[in-house]
Amino acid sequence: MEQDLHAMLDSGLMASGTDGRSEDEEYLAGQQRSLLPSSGVVPKRRSSSRFIKRKKFDDELVESSLAKSTSRAKVPSGGSGIEPGRCSGSEPSSSEKKKVSKSVTTPVTPSPAPSPSLTKRIKKSKQPLQVTKDLGRWKPADDLLLINAVLQTNDLTVVHLGVKFSCRFTQREIQERWYALLYDPVISKLACQAMRQLHPEAIAAIQSKVLFSKAEEQLLSVIGSTSQPTLDTFQELLNKHPDVFYPSRTAKSLQVHWQLLKQYYLLEDQTVQPLPKGDQVLNFSDAEDLIDDSKLKEARDEALEHELTVADRRQKREIRQLEQELHKWQVLVDSITGMSSPDFDNQTLAVLRGRMVRYLMRSREITLGRATKDNQIDVDLSLEGPAWKISRKQGVIKLKNNGDFFIANEGRRPIYIDGRPVLSGSKWKLNNNSVVEIAGLRFVFLINQDLIALIKAEAAKINQQ
């Protein structure tokens, strides 16, 4: 190999000097002239203006020499052998100069054509790339499963319908893969190498998925459907017919497949009742045509239907009106007059009492703020006084299960509870007779103690149960 490489490198250097003598030859000729008797004339120093390239690595030298040798092999014998790539613009490296200086004394032979072993090596390196281009979808497990299934059934259609591969292959793809494994030596070799590298557990899992052959199903169908075979029965069947059953079959796998055959009435003593032929089959559409619709319908009473429609419309209207007024009943607003009226009744949980109006809290959660056309809330603070500094949804008062009231500030300005500011996003507990101040409007929060005590007692009973 080294001799061929040196020969190719020498021939490349020889080809670059066809136009004139190379720089090394000029240097040797100058040395010979200096050995001659001096004639009193000082020889002129030769300088080169060629571009100096970097040193080539070994792999680059091999690639360039291979390219030159293949291109030179196309030149007919007797030609000049001039390469268009090696002209005056390129210069040999220092390693090439040393090789030339050593081989100047020996006659340079023309470069031989590349050896046939080298061309075979190049072709072999390119061939697997083209062959293995479409082998990505077929895994070694798929190949092993395909081979075992075909050997069991001898039918590619059954394999396509009954085997679950890693990808959804069509029947044509399965057929092409099977033929490639049979007749393509490269694909079969690669597939065999990949299958040999599979883990034993993976091979056992693949073998457990192999389809049952017709001979195996025929032996299993002999067992009666009315009998209740055990694992020992199937083990005896395996021992009697080891040449029929697949080597990886177990008594459990035979039992599962026998149950499947029994489920679909495929055993020998099972018979499927054939469907009756002719006009005896009565499907759903025929039975529907036989029904007399006139007997099912009752006589229509138009007056009764009209009255029912009117009553239904009236009831729906009332329900809709009550739903729209539901938020008004959560908080009742009473104007405070000189007459003292009781603050609580049996439905009022608490009262938010101001100077002008009072708000009766009758639900566990109410919202406070400033009502607008687009925003409806429970407690409209603008009824008490100027509320232009109050947010549209200033806060929420909520009754907990333990009977405590809390107020949460959801507006921009703080809410003052007994002089303590509650900032936006915070909440605070409300006690009986707590003073609530919102943007200059002051209210007194009163709690219905009797009703809250009943609520606490009911909650305690529920917890005990």
Side-chain angles (χ1 to χ4, degrees):
M1 181 62 188
E2 292 182 357
Q3 294 177 358
D4 297 337
L5 185 60
H6 286 303
M8 284 187 282
L9 289 174
D10 294 339
S11 63
L13 294 174
M14 189 65 184
S16 64
T18 55
D19 197 7
R21 290 190 301 177
S22 64
E23 188 177 355
D24 297 305
E25 291 174 354
E26 291 289 342
Y27 176 76
L28 293 174
Q31 291 291 334
Q32 291 177 1
R33 284 196 300 270
S34 63
L35 294 175
L36 296 176
S38 60
S39 58
V41 179
V42 179
K44 186 178 179 180
R45 184 176 180 182
R46 184 178 178 87
S47 62
S48 175
S49 61
R50 295 177 181 174
F51 176 72
I52 300 175
K53 289 188 176 181
R54 63 175 177 80
K55 291 183 178 182
K56 291 186 177 180
F57 295 101
D58 294 338
D59 54 352
E60 294 178 349
L61 291 173
V62 174
E63 290 176 0
S64 61
S65 63
L66 290 175
K68 292 168 188 174
S69 62
T70 52
S71 61
R72 192 177 298 108
K74 297 178 182 178
V75 179
S77 60
S80 59
I82 299 175
E83 288 183 13
R86 288 291 301 268
C87 296
S88 60
S90 62
E91 186 175 353
S93 61
S94 59
S95 61
E96 292 175 347
K97 288 179 180 179
K98 292 178 182 179
K99 294 176 182 178
V100 169
S101 61
K102 291 180 182 179
S103 60
V104 163
T105 55
T106 60
V108 180
T109 58
S111 61
S115 60
S117 61
L118 186 61
T119 56
K120 288 182 180 178
R121 217 173 288 124
I122 294 172
K123 290 181 180 179
K124 286 183 179 179
S125 63
K126 292 181 179 179
Q127 191 173 4
L129 296 177
Q130 299 175 357
V131 172
T132 60
K133 181 174 63 176
D134 57 345
L135 298 182
R137 295 181 63 195
W138 282 95
K139 305 295 188 297
D142 295 334
D143 291 335
L144 184 59
L145 195 57
L146 174 63
I147 293 171
N148 290 330
V150 173
L151 293 178
Q152 282 291 106
T153 60
N154 296 326
D155 192 349
L156 292 176
T157 305
V158 175
V159 172
H160 173 250
L161 296 175
V163 178
K164 185 177 181 182
F165 295 100
S166 61
C167 297
R168 288 189 176 181
F169 297 112
T170 61
Q171 187 174 353
R172 181 178 180 84
E173 290 175 342
I174 294 174
Q175 183 178 1
E176 290 177 354
R177 182 63 178 180
W178 175 247
Y179 288 161
L181 292 174
L182 283 178
Y183 303 115
D184 195 326
V186 178
I187 292 179
S188 60
K189 182 179 179 181
L190 292 175
C192 291
Q193 291 176 355
M195 285 187 288
R196 289 192 190 99
Q197 295 176 359
L198 287 174
H199 196 270
E201 294 182 359
I203 295 175
I206 293 169
Q207 290 177 348
S208 63
K209 301 177 183 177
V210 174
L211 298 176
F212 278 77
S213 63
K214 293 182 179 180
E216 291 176 337
E217 290 184 348
Q218 187 174 2
L219 289 176
L220 287 175
S221 63
V222 173
I223 301 175
S225 60
T226 56
S227 62
Q228 294 181 356
T230 59
L231 291 177
D232 296 335
T233 306
F234 295 103
Q235 188 64 41
E236 291 178 1
L237 194 63
L238 275 175
N239 297 333
K240 288 181 181 179
H241 306 279
D243 54 338
V244 177
F245 288 102
Y246 190 73
S248 64
R249 302 291 187 210
T250 59
K252 182 65 178 176
S253 63
L254 294 183
Q255 185 181 20
V256 172
H257 195 71
W258 179 83
Q259 292 174 353
L260 194 63
L261 294 175
K262 179 181 177 181
Q263 179 181 354
Y264 289 98
Y265 295 91
L266 297 177
L267 300 179
E268 286 187 356
D269 59 345
Q270 288 180 327
T271 56
V272 180
Q273 295 294 333
L275 292 175
K277 298 180 180 180
D279 298 334
Q280 298 177 2
V281 178
L282 185 65
N283 52 23
F284 182 77
S285 59
D286 296 337
E288 189 178 13
D289 294 338
L290 295 175
I291 297 175
D292 190 1
D293 296 337
S294 61
K295 295 180 180 179
L296 299 177
K297 294 181 180 178
E298 296 180 356
R300 294 182 59 185
D301 191 350
E302 295 182 359
L304 179 61
E305 290 180 358
H306 179 69
E307 290 180 3
L308 292 175
T309 304
V310 172
D312 184 57
R313 190 182 300 117
R314 188 184 302 113
Q315 292 173 358
K316 289 180 178 178
R317 189 186 302 115
E318 292 177 359
I319 292 172
R320 193 177 300 111
Q321 291 176 356
L322 291 173
E323 287 178 350
Q324 292 175 358
E325 295 177 357
L326 182 61
H327 67 280
K328 298 179 181 179
W329 293 97
Q330 293 179 357
V331 177
L332 291 180
V333 182
D334 290 345
S335 59
I336 297 176
T337 59
M339 298 176 63
S340 61
S341 59
D343 288 330
F344 303 110
D345 54 14
N346 56 356
Q347 295 181 355
T348 303
L349 298 173
V351 173
L352 193 64
R353 186 184 182 93
R355 292 188 306 164
M356 303 298 295
V357 294
R358 65 174 185 172
Y359 303 94
L360 305 182
M361 180 177 176
R362 295 190 171 184
S363 65
R364 288 180 172 268
E365 182 177 348
I366 60 173
T367 56
L368 294 75
R370 175 168 47 87
T372 58
K373 293 181 180 180
D374 301 332
N375 183 36
Q376 297 295 330
I377 56 175
D378 300 330
V379 176
D380 186 8
L381 299 177
S382 60
L383 300 176
E384 174 67 18
W388 58 275
K389 292 184 179 180
I390 297 175
S391 301
R392 284 174 290 184
K393 188 176 180 181
Q394 182 66 42
V396 177
I397 298 177
K398 186 180 294 186
L399 173 62
K400 300 290 185 180
N401 294 330
N402 57 1
D404 295 335
F405 288 88
F406 283 87
I407 183 169
N409 187 4
E410 297 183 0
R412 295 182 180 179
R413 297 179 180 272
I415 298 175
Y416 294 90
I417 308 297
D418 297 329
R420 181 185 296 273
V422 179
L423 302 179
S424 178
S426 302
K427 62 181 180 180
W428 194 260
K429 182 180 178 181
L430 289 174
N431 299 317
N432 192 23
N433 293 323
S434 293
V435 179
V436 181
E437 182 179 351
I438 306 173
L441 302 179
R442 292 186 177 182
F443 303 90
V444 178
F445 188 75
L446 303 174
I447 299 175
N448 190 353
Q449 300 290 348
D450 298 335
L451 188 56
I452 296 302
L454 292 175
I455 292 175
K456 289 182 178 179
E458 291 179 0
K461 290 180 180 179
I462 294 173
N463 292 332
Q464 290 177 0
Q465 293 177 357

